[in-house]
Amino acid sequence: MDSYTQKYVDSFMAELTAKNPGEKEFHQAVKEVLESVAPYIVAHPYLMEQKILERIVEPERIIMFRVPWLDDEGNIQINKGYRVQNSSAIGPYKGGIRFHPSVNLSIMKFLAFEQTFKNSLTTLPMGAGKGGSDFNPKGKSDNEVMRFCQSFMTELSKHIGADTDVPAGDIGVGGREIGYMFGQYKRLRNEFTGVLTGKGQSWGGSHIRPEATGYGVCYFASAMLATKGDSYEGKTVAISGSGNVAQYAAKKALQLGAKVVTMSDSNGYIYDPEGIDADKLAYVMELKNIYRGRIKEYAEKYPSAQYFPGERPWGVKCDIAMPCATQNELNGEEARTLIANGCMCVAEGANMPSTPEAIEVFLSSKILYSPGKASNAGGVATSGLEMTQNSMRLKWTPDEVDRHLKQIMTDIHEACVKYGTEEDGYVNYVKGANIAGFIKVADAMMAQGLV
Ligand code: NDP
Ligand code: 2IT
């Protein structure tokens, strides 16, 4: 980066951190994008004059609200609710809702910011938003979750709509929560519309949406591997997380001929050197999705596996790593360990799972590395396909949705190669994804004037 561009980056970050004090995840996400797009902006002075990136980092609207609810003992509980409507440049606001005790404004803003570029990459007309609450679903009864979702939606319903803002799931929000929120929206508005995605199959949901993020990560990683004439076949894969994304990433990796040896949750990870095969994965799905259990129970059921409490899976020898749990779950030291152990591909299922230092390690080692905004975009892309089907009032077959998903992931891969290939031929997917995502949003903003 030349000194003029570096000065632009430094002054941009100084202003951003001064205006948004303490929002460390938000600063981190902006810095990563800024470092990729700054040379493009400097080369196109009108983008600087029009303050396009300065506008994108200021969400169009942030809604913060109180979520009061009654627990099963009749006690009053109060949580915080958020919806960050970041950008409507290319379509209605679109993005997930996260229920996790760590949720705060910085995390909501980083996720909404990332979503802006991710949704642009999908090739579909979707703007970007993110929402959530510091509500902790763990240990809550179904009735408590329902009352919470109803209270959350009672306020959120004033700000969303099928052509305005279409939320979906994220950490702590799956089919059950989407159902309760959809029911409450319908009751308040007396309107059956595609206001949420990730709906149930019998009431407007799309086939493959539950699978889409995890499958999409594998389709994207397959495209990366293909640039080296390689594939998942015979590879050893380490996965973190054991929720929606991790489960379907594991399922597709297995189908593609890989051996998956780890899964995790926030308490620890399991290592099964014999591989988590289809039967064992079906057990994990039942354990997590129906019984809402913990991953350590896997090691109690399968003696081939060992449980490592309080640890993350990145010390295990693998060819491919797929972080599918949460932000900043893979640091510089763990990245160096992965490389030392021969890992040749890291495909992110989570949003911003690698720290900036880890990303630096991957890029300087020139391994195949995809940022979440590219490789996990299959989830929101299939949400976009759910919106399409809702608008048409019909439902595509699983094969048809899967075909679209594959094509979209291939197209995102191509966009990354187009904008991210460096002089020596190495594809920097971070740069490629950020520039490709930015250009479309910037062009739309230029066309629509100062709004
Ligand atoms: P789930 O709630 O289904 O699963 C989350 C998994 O990650 C659980 O195993 C959970 O463990 C673990 N986890 C959550 N928080 C932490 C933490 N602070 N430390 C360690 N482990 C943690 O969520 P999803 O699978 O839907 O989401 C996973 C990631 O993928 C997130 O980054 C999300 O933003 C991203 N993503 C999700 C998409 C989707 O369609 N669902 C689309 C694109 C990205 P525990 O049970 O202990 O909490
Ligand atoms: O981070 C994400 O892309 C999601 N949680 C999915 C969003 C969506 O609207 O499907």
Side-chain angles (χ1 to χ4, degrees), residues 98 100 111 118 130 138 169-173 209 213 241-246 264-267 288 294 324-327 349-351 376 379-380:
R98 176 177 292 192
H100 193 274
L111 289 163
K118 183 196 306 193
K130 199 84 187 190
K138 283 200 194 90
D170 194 79
I171 292 176
V173 177
R209 177 61 190 90
T213 311
S242 49
N244 172 269
V245 181
S264 71
D265 60 26
S266 52
N267 296 114
K288 300 301 290 187
R294 308 302 300 160
C324 297
T326 192
Q327 65 275 359
N351 285 307
N376 75 31
V380 72

PDB file of all heavy atoms in Angstrom, residues 98 100 111 118 130 138 169-173 209 213 241-246 264-267 288 294 324-327 349-351 376 379-380, ligand 1:
ATOM      1  N   ARG A  98     -29.659 -12.738  16.114  1.00  0.00           N
ATOM      2  CA  ARG A  98     -28.842 -13.542  17.026  1.00  0.00           C
ATOM      3  C   ARG A  98     -29.335 -13.385  18.454  1.00  0.00           C
ATOM      4  O   ARG A  98     -29.497 -12.256  18.922  1.00  0.00           O
ATOM      5  CB  ARG A  98     -27.375 -13.093  16.931  1.00  0.00           C
ATOM      6  CG  ARG A  98     -26.459 -13.807  17.910  1.00  0.00           C
ATOM      7  CD  ARG A  98     -25.002 -13.391  17.748  1.00  0.00           C
ATOM      8  NE  ARG A  98     -24.437 -13.838  16.477  1.00  0.00           N
ATOM      9  CZ  ARG A  98     -23.131 -13.798  16.190  1.00  0.00           C
ATOM     10  NH1 ARG A  98     -22.266 -13.334  17.081  1.00  0.00           N
ATOM     11  NH2 ARG A  98     -22.692 -14.216  15.016  1.00  0.00           N
ATOM     12  N   HIS A 100     -27.951 -14.302  21.988  1.00  0.00           N
ATOM     13  CA  HIS A 100     -26.790 -14.811  22.732  1.00  0.00           C
ATOM     14  C   HIS A 100     -26.442 -13.768  23.787  1.00  0.00           C
ATOM     15  O   HIS A 100     -26.513 -12.566  23.509  1.00  0.00           O
ATOM     16  CB  HIS A 100     -25.607 -15.050  21.785  1.00  0.00           C
ATOM     17  CG  HIS A 100     -24.491 -15.853  22.390  1.00  0.00           C
ATOM     18  ND1 HIS A 100     -23.480 -15.273  23.141  1.00  0.00           N
ATOM     19  CD2 HIS A 100     -24.235 -17.187  22.381  1.00  0.00           C
ATOM     20  CE1 HIS A 100     -22.655 -16.231  23.561  1.00  0.00           C
ATOM     21  NE2 HIS A 100     -23.096 -17.397  23.115  1.00  0.00           N
ATOM     22  N   LEU A 111     -21.793  -7.249  12.384  1.00  0.00           N
ATOM     23  CA  LEU A 111     -22.500  -8.240  11.577  1.00  0.00           C
ATOM     24  C   LEU A 111     -23.299  -7.572  10.451  1.00  0.00           C
ATOM     25  O   LEU A 111     -23.310  -8.064   9.313  1.00  0.00           O
ATOM     26  CB  LEU A 111     -23.416  -9.089  12.465  1.00  0.00           C
ATOM     27  CG  LEU A 111     -22.672 -10.066  13.393  1.00  0.00           C
ATOM     28  CD1 LEU A 111     -23.587 -10.557  14.523  1.00  0.00           C
ATOM     29  CD2 LEU A 111     -22.111 -11.254  12.615  1.00  0.00           C
ATOM     30  N   LYS A 118     -21.520  -9.183   1.917  1.00  0.00           N
ATOM     31  CA  LYS A 118     -21.920 -10.569   1.672  1.00  0.00           C
ATOM     32  C   LYS A 118     -23.148 -10.623   0.757  1.00  0.00           C
ATOM     33  O   LYS A 118     -23.169 -11.338  -0.239  1.00  0.00           O
ATOM     34  CB  LYS A 118     -22.240 -11.241   3.010  1.00  0.00           C
ATOM     35  CG  LYS A 118     -22.613 -12.712   2.897  1.00  0.00           C
ATOM     36  CD  LYS A 118     -23.289 -13.253   4.159  1.00  0.00           C
ATOM     37  CE  LYS A 118     -22.481 -13.020   5.404  1.00  0.00           C
ATOM     38  NZ  LYS A 118     -23.006 -13.819   6.553  1.00  0.00           N
ATOM     39  N   LYS A 130     -28.920  -6.568  10.552  1.00  0.00           N
ATOM     40  CA  LYS A 130     -28.700  -7.636  11.539  1.00  0.00           C
ATOM     41  C   LYS A 130     -29.416  -7.231  12.810  1.00  0.00           C
ATOM     42  O   LYS A 130     -29.510  -6.047  13.122  1.00  0.00           O
ATOM     43  CB  LYS A 130     -27.205  -7.791  11.827  1.00  0.00           C
ATOM     44  CG  LYS A 130     -26.842  -9.109  12.454  1.00  0.00           C
ATOM     45  CD  LYS A 130     -26.672 -10.182  11.400  1.00  0.00           C
ATOM     46  CE  LYS A 130     -26.467 -11.548  11.992  1.00  0.00           C
ATOM     47  NZ  LYS A 130     -26.078 -12.521  10.939  1.00  0.00           N
ATOM     48  N   LYS A 138     -30.296 -20.759  26.349  1.00  0.00           N
ATOM     49  CA  LYS A 138     -29.882 -22.001  27.032  1.00  0.00           C
ATOM     50  C   LYS A 138     -30.620 -22.176  28.349  1.00  0.00           C
ATOM     51  O   LYS A 138     -30.670 -21.269  29.175  1.00  0.00           O
ATOM     52  CB  LYS A 138     -28.382 -21.976  27.310  1.00  0.00           C
ATOM     53  CG  LYS A 138     -27.564 -22.269  26.088  1.00  0.00           C
ATOM     54  CD  LYS A 138     -26.144 -22.714  26.462  1.00  0.00           C
ATOM     55  CE  LYS A 138     -25.257 -22.669  25.242  1.00  0.00           C
ATOM     56  NZ  LYS A 138     -24.583 -21.400  25.020  1.00  0.00           N
ATOM     57  N   GLY A 169     -32.497 -16.412  10.741  1.00  0.00           N
ATOM     58  CA  GLY A 169     -31.819 -16.956  11.918  1.00  0.00           C
ATOM     59  C   GLY A 169     -30.333 -16.613  11.964  1.00  0.00           C
ATOM     60  O   GLY A 169     -29.754 -16.127  11.006  1.00  0.00           O
ATOM     61  N   ASP A 170     -29.742 -16.863  13.107  1.00  0.00           N
ATOM     62  CA  ASP A 170     -28.295 -16.769  13.332  1.00  0.00           C
ATOM     63  C   ASP A 170     -28.059 -17.542  14.632  1.00  0.00           C
ATOM     64  O   ASP A 170     -28.890 -18.402  14.997  1.00  0.00           O
ATOM     65  CB  ASP A 170     -27.846 -15.297  13.426  1.00  0.00           C
ATOM     66  CG  ASP A 170     -26.322 -15.127  13.319  1.00  0.00           C
ATOM     67  OD1 ASP A 170     -25.782 -15.176  12.199  1.00  0.00           O
ATOM     68  OD2 ASP A 170     -25.656 -14.965  14.369  1.00  0.00           O
ATOM     69  N   ILE A 171     -26.983 -17.257  15.353  1.00  0.00           N
ATOM     70  CA  ILE A 171     -26.723 -17.989  16.602  1.00  0.00           C
ATOM     71  C   ILE A 171     -27.945 -17.889  17.537  1.00  0.00           C
ATOM     72  O   ILE A 171     -28.458 -16.798  17.774  1.00  0.00           O
ATOM     73  CB  ILE A 171     -25.471 -17.435  17.315  1.00  0.00           C
ATOM     74  CG1 ILE A 171     -24.215 -17.762  16.496  1.00  0.00           C
ATOM     75  CG2 ILE A 171     -25.351 -18.005  18.728  1.00  0.00           C
ATOM     76  CD1 ILE A 171     -22.930 -17.175  17.069  1.00  0.00           C
ATOM     77  N   GLY A 172     -28.398 -19.021  18.014  1.00  0.00           N
ATOM     78  CA  GLY A 172     -29.498 -19.045  18.976  1.00  0.00           C
ATOM     79  C   GLY A 172     -30.875 -18.841  18.363  1.00  0.00           C
ATOM     80  O   GLY A 172     -31.873 -18.830  19.085  1.00  0.00           O
ATOM     81  N   VAL A 173     -30.935 -18.662  17.064  1.00  0.00           N
ATOM     82  CA  VAL A 173     -32.230 -18.497  16.385  1.00  0.00           C
ATOM     83  C   VAL A 173     -32.301 -19.494  15.237  1.00  0.00           C
ATOM     84  O   VAL A 173     -31.558 -19.380  14.254  1.00  0.00           O
ATOM     85  CB  VAL A 173     -32.431 -17.054  15.872  1.00  0.00           C
ATOM     86  CG1 VAL A 173     -33.745 -16.935  15.097  1.00  0.00           C
ATOM     87  CG2 VAL A 173     -32.409 -16.063  17.032  1.00  0.00           C
ATOM     88  N   ARG A 209     -32.930 -24.369   2.856  1.00  0.00           N
ATOM     89  CA  ARG A 209     -32.480 -23.228   3.670  1.00  0.00           C
ATOM     90  C   ARG A 209     -31.772 -23.696   4.944  1.00  0.00           C
ATOM     91  O   ARG A 209     -30.718 -23.154   5.280  1.00  0.00           O
ATOM     92  CB  ARG A 209     -33.644 -22.260   3.998  1.00  0.00           C
ATOM     93  CG  ARG A 209     -33.221 -21.086   4.930  1.00  0.00           C
ATOM     94  CD  ARG A 209     -32.139 -20.228   4.300  1.00  0.00           C
ATOM     95  NE  ARG A 209     -31.521 -19.245   5.173  1.00  0.00           N
ATOM     96  CZ  ARG A 209     -30.438 -19.449   5.928  1.00  0.00           C
ATOM     97  NH1 ARG A 209     -29.844 -20.634   5.951  1.00  0.00           N
ATOM     98  NH2 ARG A 209     -29.928 -18.481   6.640  1.00  0.00           N
ATOM     99  N   THR A 213     -26.215 -22.820   4.554  1.00  0.00           N
ATOM    100  CA  THR A 213     -24.950 -22.177   4.923  1.00  0.00           C
ATOM    101  C   THR A 213     -23.823 -23.208   4.920  1.00  0.00           C
ATOM    102  O   THR A 213     -22.771 -23.007   4.299  1.00  0.00           O
ATOM    103  CB  THR A 213     -25.068 -21.480   6.288  1.00  0.00           C
ATOM    104  OG1 THR A 213     -26.246 -20.685   6.281  1.00  0.00           O
ATOM    105  CG2 THR A 213     -23.859 -20.613   6.569  1.00  0.00           C
ATOM    106  N   GLY A 241     -17.820 -25.654  16.322  1.00  0.00           N
ATOM    107  CA  GLY A 241     -19.259 -25.466  16.427  1.00  0.00           C
ATOM    108  C   GLY A 241     -19.969 -26.794  16.250  1.00  0.00           C
ATOM    109  O   GLY A 241     -19.377 -27.794  15.779  1.00  0.00           O
ATOM    110  N   SER A 242     -21.231 -26.821  16.661  1.00  0.00           N
ATOM    111  CA  SER A 242     -22.055 -28.017  16.452  1.00  0.00           C
ATOM    112  C   SER A 242     -23.498 -27.582  16.232  1.00  0.00           C
ATOM    113  O   SER A 242     -24.430 -28.339  16.438  1.00  0.00           O
ATOM    114  CB  SER A 242     -21.951 -28.963  17.652  1.00  0.00           C
ATOM    115  OG  SER A 242     -22.141 -28.243  18.867  1.00  0.00           O
ATOM    116  N   GLY A 243     -23.663 -26.329  15.793  1.00  0.00           N
ATOM    117  CA  GLY A 243     -24.992 -25.798  15.510  1.00  0.00           C
ATOM    118  C   GLY A 243     -25.348 -25.969  14.048  1.00  0.00           C
ATOM    119  O   GLY A 243     -24.812 -26.843  13.358  1.00  0.00           O
ATOM    120  N   ASN A 244     -26.224 -25.102  13.577  1.00  0.00           N
ATOM    121  CA  ASN A 244     -26.758 -25.236  12.224  1.00  0.00           C
ATOM    122  C   ASN A 244     -25.662 -25.283  11.165  1.00  0.00           C
ATOM    123  O   ASN A 244     -25.633 -26.189  10.319  1.00  0.00           O
ATOM    124  CB  ASN A 244     -27.724 -24.069  11.947  1.00  0.00           C
ATOM    125  CG  ASN A 244     -28.181 -24.022  10.510  1.00  0.00           C
ATOM    126  OD1 ASN A 244     -27.567 -23.366   9.669  1.00  0.00           O
ATOM    127  ND2 ASN A 244     -29.219 -24.764  10.190  1.00  0.00           N
ATOM    128  N   VAL A 245     -24.759 -24.333  11.188  1.00  0.00           N
ATOM    129  CA  VAL A 245     -23.754 -24.254  10.123  1.00  0.00           C
ATOM    130  C   VAL A 245     -22.795 -25.442  10.197  1.00  0.00           C
ATOM    131  O   VAL A 245     -22.499 -26.092   9.193  1.00  0.00           O
ATOM    132  CB  VAL A 245     -22.991 -22.910  10.197  1.00  0.00           C
ATOM    133  CG1 VAL A 245     -21.957 -22.815   9.090  1.00  0.00           C
ATOM    134  CG2 VAL A 245     -23.962 -21.736  10.115  1.00  0.00           C
ATOM    135  N   ALA A 246     -22.310 -25.741  11.397  1.00  0.00           N
ATOM    136  CA  ALA A 246     -21.353 -26.843  11.583  1.00  0.00           C
ATOM    137  C   ALA A 246     -21.961 -28.181  11.146  1.00  0.00           C
ATOM    138  O   ALA A 246     -21.306 -28.987  10.484  1.00  0.00           O
ATOM    139  CB  ALA A 246     -20.926 -26.909  13.048  1.00  0.00           C
ATOM    140  N   SER A 264     -17.469 -28.884  18.084  1.00  0.00           N
ATOM    141  CA  SER A 264     -17.271 -28.237  19.385  1.00  0.00           C
ATOM    142  C   SER A 264     -18.501 -27.467  19.836  1.00  0.00           C
ATOM    143  O   SER A 264     -19.464 -27.308  19.066  1.00  0.00           O
ATOM    144  CB  SER A 264     -16.078 -27.272  19.309  1.00  0.00           C
ATOM    145  OG  SER A 264     -16.408 -26.135  18.533  1.00  0.00           O
ATOM    146  N   ASP A 265     -18.486 -27.000  21.065  1.00  0.00           N
ATOM    147  CA  ASP A 265     -19.396 -25.945  21.497  1.00  0.00           C
ATOM    148  C   ASP A 265     -18.612 -25.023  22.421  1.00  0.00           C
ATOM    149  O   ASP A 265     -17.377 -25.161  22.508  1.00  0.00           O
ATOM    150  CB  ASP A 265     -20.688 -26.502  22.124  1.00  0.00           C
ATOM    151  CG  ASP A 265     -20.446 -27.363  23.345  1.00  0.00           C
ATOM    152  OD1 ASP A 265     -19.419 -27.185  24.020  1.00  0.00           O
ATOM    153  OD2 ASP A 265     -21.308 -28.229  23.626  1.00  0.00           O
ATOM    154  N   SER A 266     -19.288 -24.100  23.090  1.00  0.00           N
ATOM    155  CA  SER A 266     -18.539 -23.102  23.847  1.00  0.00           C
ATOM    156  C   SER A 266     -17.856 -23.696  25.081  1.00  0.00           C
ATOM    157  O   SER A 266     -17.050 -23.020  25.718  1.00  0.00           O
ATOM    158  CB  SER A 266     -19.437 -21.928  24.236  1.00  0.00           C
ATOM    159  OG  SER A 266     -20.593 -22.402  24.878  1.00  0.00           O
ATOM    160  N   ASN A 267     -18.117 -24.972  25.387  1.00  0.00           N
ATOM    161  CA  ASN A 267     -17.457 -25.603  26.538  1.00  0.00           C
ATOM    162  C   ASN A 267     -16.235 -26.451  26.179  1.00  0.00           C
ATOM    163  O   ASN A 267     -15.446 -26.794  27.054  1.00  0.00           O
ATOM    164  CB  ASN A 267     -18.436 -26.479  27.316  1.00  0.00           C
ATOM    165  CG  ASN A 267     -19.553 -25.658  27.928  1.00  0.00           C
ATOM    166  OD1 ASN A 267     -20.712 -25.792  27.541  1.00  0.00           O
ATOM    167  ND2 ASN A 267     -19.202 -24.754  28.833  1.00  0.00           N
ATOM    168  N   LYS A 288     -28.255 -32.003  19.548  1.00  0.00           N
ATOM    169  CA  LYS A 288     -28.254 -30.540  19.598  1.00  0.00           C
ATOM    170  C   LYS A 288     -29.628 -29.947  19.285  1.00  0.00           C
ATOM    171  O   LYS A 288     -30.050 -29.005  19.934  1.00  0.00           O
ATOM    172  CB  LYS A 288     -27.240 -29.965  18.591  1.00  0.00           C
ATOM    173  CG  LYS A 288     -25.809 -30.390  18.800  1.00  0.00           C
ATOM    174  CD  LYS A 288     -25.237 -30.029  20.154  1.00  0.00           C
ATOM    175  CE  LYS A 288     -25.003 -28.556  20.351  1.00  0.00           C
ATOM    176  NZ  LYS A 288     -24.284 -28.283  21.630  1.00  0.00           N
ATOM    177  N   ARG A 294     -25.146 -31.081  25.067  1.00  0.00           N
ATOM    178  CA  ARG A 294     -23.792 -30.540  24.921  1.00  0.00           C
ATOM    179  C   ARG A 294     -22.933 -31.524  24.139  1.00  0.00           C
ATOM    180  O   ARG A 294     -23.121 -32.738  24.221  1.00  0.00           O
ATOM    181  CB  ARG A 294     -23.174 -30.272  26.303  1.00  0.00           C
ATOM    182  CG  ARG A 294     -24.036 -29.438  27.231  1.00  0.00           C
ATOM    183  CD  ARG A 294     -24.400 -28.079  26.666  1.00  0.00           C
ATOM    184  NE  ARG A 294     -23.235 -27.270  26.372  1.00  0.00           N
ATOM    185  CZ  ARG A 294     -23.236 -26.213  25.539  1.00  0.00           C
ATOM    186  NH1 ARG A 294     -24.343 -25.859  24.920  1.00  0.00           N
ATOM    187  NH2 ARG A 294     -22.132 -25.541  25.323  1.00  0.00           N
ATOM    188  N   CYS A 324     -16.929 -22.755  12.315  1.00  0.00           N
ATOM    189  CA  CYS A 324     -18.383 -22.565  12.126  1.00  0.00           C
ATOM    190  C   CYS A 324     -19.093 -22.218  13.435  1.00  0.00           C
ATOM    191  O   CYS A 324     -20.273 -22.550  13.597  1.00  0.00           O
ATOM    192  CB  CYS A 324     -19.015 -23.831  11.542  1.00  0.00           C
ATOM    193  SG  CYS A 324     -18.410 -24.279   9.910  1.00  0.00           S
ATOM    194  N   ALA A 325     -18.391 -21.571  14.385  1.00  0.00           N
ATOM    195  CA  ALA A 325     -19.038 -21.256  15.663  1.00  0.00           C
ATOM    196  C   ALA A 325     -19.321 -19.767  15.812  1.00  0.00           C
ATOM    197  O   ALA A 325     -20.467 -19.331  15.774  1.00  0.00           O
ATOM    198  CB  ALA A 325     -18.201 -21.778  16.826  1.00  0.00           C
ATOM    199  N   THR A 326     -18.254 -18.947  15.945  1.00  0.00           N
ATOM    200  CA  THR A 326     -18.504 -17.537  16.281  1.00  0.00           C
ATOM    201  C   THR A 326     -17.307 -16.657  15.920  1.00  0.00           C
ATOM    202  O   THR A 326     -16.295 -17.161  15.416  1.00  0.00           O
ATOM    203  CB  THR A 326     -18.854 -17.434  17.790  1.00  0.00           C
ATOM    204  OG1 THR A 326     -19.369 -16.133  18.069  1.00  0.00           O
ATOM    205  CG2 THR A 326     -17.637 -17.691  18.678  1.00  0.00           C
ATOM    206  N   GLN A 327     -17.404 -15.355  16.197  1.00  0.00           N
ATOM    207  CA  GLN A 327     -16.319 -14.423  15.831  1.00  0.00           C
ATOM    208  C   GLN A 327     -15.093 -14.619  16.727  1.00  0.00           C
ATOM    209  O   GLN A 327     -15.205 -14.958  17.893  1.00  0.00           O
ATOM    210  CB  GLN A 327     -16.785 -12.958  15.877  1.00  0.00           C
ATOM    211  CG  GLN A 327     -17.166 -12.423  17.238  1.00  0.00           C
ATOM    212  CD  GLN A 327     -18.603 -12.727  17.613  1.00  0.00           C
ATOM    213  OE1 GLN A 327     -19.340 -13.324  16.853  1.00  0.00           O
ATOM    214  NE2 GLN A 327     -19.005 -12.322  18.809  1.00  0.00           N
ATOM    215  N   GLY A 349     -17.198 -20.689   7.971  1.00  0.00           N
ATOM    216  CA  GLY A 349     -18.657 -20.789   8.005  1.00  0.00           C
ATOM    217  C   GLY A 349     -19.237 -19.714   8.911  1.00  0.00           C
ATOM    218  O   GLY A 349     -20.306 -19.174   8.653  1.00  0.00           O
ATOM    219  N   ALA A 350     -18.519 -19.380   9.973  1.00  0.00           N
ATOM    220  CA  ALA A 350     -18.968 -18.334  10.899  1.00  0.00           C
ATOM    221  C   ALA A 350     -18.656 -16.961  10.316  1.00  0.00           C
ATOM    222  O   ALA A 350     -17.980 -16.841   9.293  1.00  0.00           O
ATOM    223  CB  ALA A 350     -18.283 -18.511  12.253  1.00  0.00           C
ATOM    224  N   ASN A 351     -19.154 -15.919  10.968  1.00  0.00           N
ATOM    225  CA  ASN A 351     -18.835 -14.553  10.590  1.00  0.00           C
ATOM    226  C   ASN A 351     -17.617 -14.074  11.385  1.00  0.00           C
ATOM    227  O   ASN A 351     -17.642 -14.092  12.615  1.00  0.00           O
ATOM    228  CB  ASN A 351     -20.037 -13.637  10.873  1.00  0.00           C
ATOM    229  CG  ASN A 351     -21.146 -13.830   9.845  1.00  0.00           C
ATOM    230  OD1 ASN A 351     -20.901 -13.749   8.643  1.00  0.00           O
ATOM    231  ND2 ASN A 351     -22.357 -14.108  10.314  1.00  0.00           N
ATOM    232  N   ASN A 376     -19.692 -18.137   3.587  1.00  0.00           N
ATOM    233  CA  ASN A 376     -20.938 -18.487   4.287  1.00  0.00           C
ATOM    234  C   ASN A 376     -22.161 -17.808   3.672  1.00  0.00           C
ATOM    235  O   ASN A 376     -23.267 -17.865   4.233  1.00  0.00           O
ATOM    236  CB  ASN A 376     -20.842 -18.257   5.802  1.00  0.00           C
ATOM    237  CG  ASN A 376     -20.903 -16.794   6.215  1.00  0.00           C
ATOM    238  OD1 ASN A 376     -21.544 -15.978   5.571  1.00  0.00           O
ATOM    239  ND2 ASN A 376     -20.260 -16.469   7.329  1.00  0.00           N
ATOM    240  N   GLY A 379     -26.156 -19.194   2.967  1.00  0.00           N
ATOM    241  CA  GLY A 379     -27.328 -19.117   3.851  1.00  0.00           C
ATOM    242  C   GLY A 379     -28.242 -17.981   3.449  1.00  0.00           C
ATOM    243  O   GLY A 379     -29.429 -18.185   3.144  1.00  0.00           O
ATOM    244  N   VAL A 380     -27.668 -16.783   3.383  1.00  0.00           N
ATOM    245  CA  VAL A 380     -28.512 -15.630   3.031  1.00  0.00           C
ATOM    246  C   VAL A 380     -28.937 -15.709   1.567  1.00  0.00           C
ATOM    247  O   VAL A 380     -30.041 -15.269   1.211  1.00  0.00           O
ATOM    248  CB  VAL A 380     -27.813 -14.289   3.372  1.00  0.00           C
ATOM    249  CG1 VAL A 380     -26.665 -13.984   2.436  1.00  0.00           C
ATOM    250  CG2 VAL A 380     -28.821 -13.158   3.377  1.00  0.00           C
TER     251      VAL A 380
HETATM  252  P1  NDP B   1     -26.110 -22.051  16.214  1.00  0.00           P
HETATM  253  O1  NDP B   1     -26.689 -21.304  17.343  1.00  0.00           O
HETATM  254  O2  NDP B   1     -26.918 -23.047  15.502  1.00  0.00           O
HETATM  255  O3  NDP B   1     -24.743 -22.748  16.645  1.00  0.00           O
HETATM  256  C1  NDP B   1     -23.706 -21.998  17.173  1.00  0.00           C
HETATM  257  C2  NDP B   1     -22.575 -22.919  17.550  1.00  0.00           C
HETATM  258  O4  NDP B   1     -21.430 -22.142  17.856  1.00  0.00           O
HETATM  259  C3  NDP B   1     -22.872 -23.745  18.795  1.00  0.00           C
HETATM  260  O5  NDP B   1     -22.162 -24.934  18.728  1.00  0.00           O
HETATM  261  C4  NDP B   1     -22.347 -22.836  19.888  1.00  0.00           C
HETATM  262  O6  NDP B   1     -22.013 -23.501  21.081  1.00  0.00           O
HETATM  263  C5  NDP B   1     -21.122 -22.277  19.254  1.00  0.00           C
HETATM  264  N1  NDP B   1     -20.836 -20.947  19.832  1.00  0.00           N
HETATM  265  C6  NDP B   1     -21.671 -19.888  19.870  1.00  0.00           C
HETATM  266  N2  NDP B   1     -21.125 -18.868  20.518  1.00  0.00           N
HETATM  267  C7  NDP B   1     -19.910 -19.301  20.917  1.00  0.00           C
HETATM  268  C8  NDP B   1     -18.876 -18.711  21.639  1.00  0.00           C
HETATM  269  N3  NDP B   1     -18.970 -17.441  22.081  1.00  0.00           N
HETATM  270  N4  NDP B   1     -17.754 -19.452  21.847  1.00  0.00           N
HETATM  271  C9  NDP B   1     -17.656 -20.715  21.387  1.00  0.00           C
HETATM  272  N5  NDP B   1     -18.633 -21.351  20.719  1.00  0.00           N
HETATM  273  C10 NDP B   1     -19.736 -20.639  20.471  1.00  0.00           C
HETATM  274  O7  NDP B   1     -25.616 -20.897  15.189  1.00  0.00           O
HETATM  275  P2  NDP B   1     -25.251 -21.042  13.641  1.00  0.00           P
HETATM  276  O8  NDP B   1     -24.661 -22.365  13.365  1.00  0.00           O
HETATM  277  O9  NDP B   1     -26.404 -20.575  12.863  1.00  0.00           O
HETATM  278  O10 NDP B   1     -24.122 -19.903  13.487  1.00  0.00           O
HETATM  279  C11 NDP B   1     -22.743 -20.174  13.618  1.00  0.00           C
HETATM  280  C12 NDP B   1     -21.945 -19.073  12.940  1.00  0.00           C
HETATM  281  O11 NDP B   1     -22.292 -19.015  11.552  1.00  0.00           O
HETATM  282  C13 NDP B   1     -22.182 -17.655  13.470  1.00  0.00           C
HETATM  283  O12 NDP B   1     -20.977 -16.915  13.356  1.00  0.00           O
HETATM  284  C14 NDP B   1     -23.207 -17.092  12.501  1.00  0.00           C
HETATM  285  O13 NDP B   1     -23.178 -15.674  12.472  1.00  0.00           O
HETATM  286  C15 NDP B   1     -22.706 -17.690  11.210  1.00  0.00           C
HETATM  287  N6  NDP B   1     -23.663 -17.776  10.104  1.00  0.00           N
HETATM  288  C16 NDP B   1     -24.867 -18.399  10.254  1.00  0.00           C
HETATM  289  C17 NDP B   1     -25.730 -18.502   9.185  1.00  0.00           C
HETATM  290  C18 NDP B   1     -27.009 -19.251   9.274  1.00  0.00           C
HETATM  291  O14 NDP B   1     -27.675 -19.388   8.236  1.00  0.00           O
HETATM  292  N7  NDP B   1     -27.420 -19.755  10.417  1.00  0.00           N
HETATM  293  C19 NDP B   1     -25.404 -17.880   7.885  1.00  0.00           C
HETATM  294  C20 NDP B   1     -24.077 -17.315   7.824  1.00  0.00           C
HETATM  295  C21 NDP B   1     -23.273 -17.262   8.903  1.00  0.00           C
HETATM  296  P3  NDP B   1     -22.951 -23.357  22.393  1.00  0.00           P
HETATM  297  O15 NDP B   1     -24.069 -24.306  22.169  1.00  0.00           O
HETATM  298  O16 NDP B   1     -22.064 -23.708  23.525  1.00  0.00           O
HETATM  299  O17 NDP B   1     -23.395 -21.923  22.440  1.00  0.00           O
END
